[in-house]
Amino acid sequence: MNVDHEVKLLVEEIQQLGSKSADGQTRVKFGVLFNDDRCANIFEALVGTLRAAKKRKVINFEGELLLQGVHDNVDIVLLQE
């Protein structure tokens, strides 16, 4: 699977699992995304896909790397719908 395709799938999952905030951006907690069965089946390396999407300015989150457990409450913000 190529990276652009995985980023597109990630956007779809964030739209499905997330919710619109007051500023109109879709947000989802990392823990919600990480623990979702569908995401687990789609993404072999979710953290790698998140980093690639952040690098392409499709999403944003605090820090460089998200780890399960430690960063479960970190918001992932969709910058491009």
Side-chain angles (χ1 to χ4, degrees), residues 1-62:
M1 207 179 289
N2 71 32
V3 177
D4 290 329
H5 180 68
E6 282 207 10
V7 169
K8 183 176 178 278
L9 291 174
L10 178 65
V11 168
E12 291 171 6
E13 291 304 308
I14 292 171
Q15 288 171 333
Q16 187 174 31
L17 295 171
S19 57
K20 293 261 188 207
S21 59
D23 60 7
Q25 293 181 308
T26 304
R27 298 171 180 269
V28 66
K29 298 285 186 195
F30 174 66
V32 171
L33 205 57
F34 190 90
N35 292 315
D36 184 71
D37 288 338
R38 184 172 149 86
C39 284
N41 290 330
I42 294 173
F43 304 107
E44 254 182 63
L46 176 62
V47 172
T49 304
L50 288 168
R51 288 184 73 190
K54 184 176 181 179
K55 196 175 190 179
R56 288 169 169 74
K57 301 193 185 322
V58 175
I59 63 167
N60 194 25
F61 54 84
E62 282 189 38

Side-chain angles (χ1 to χ4, degrees), residues 28-35 66-75:
V28 66
K29 298 285 186 195
F30 174 66
V32 171
L33 205 57
F34 190 90
N35 292 315
L66 297 175
L67 300 173
Q68 195 260 334
V70 179
H71 298 114
D72 282 355
N73 286 321
V74 172
D75 277 332

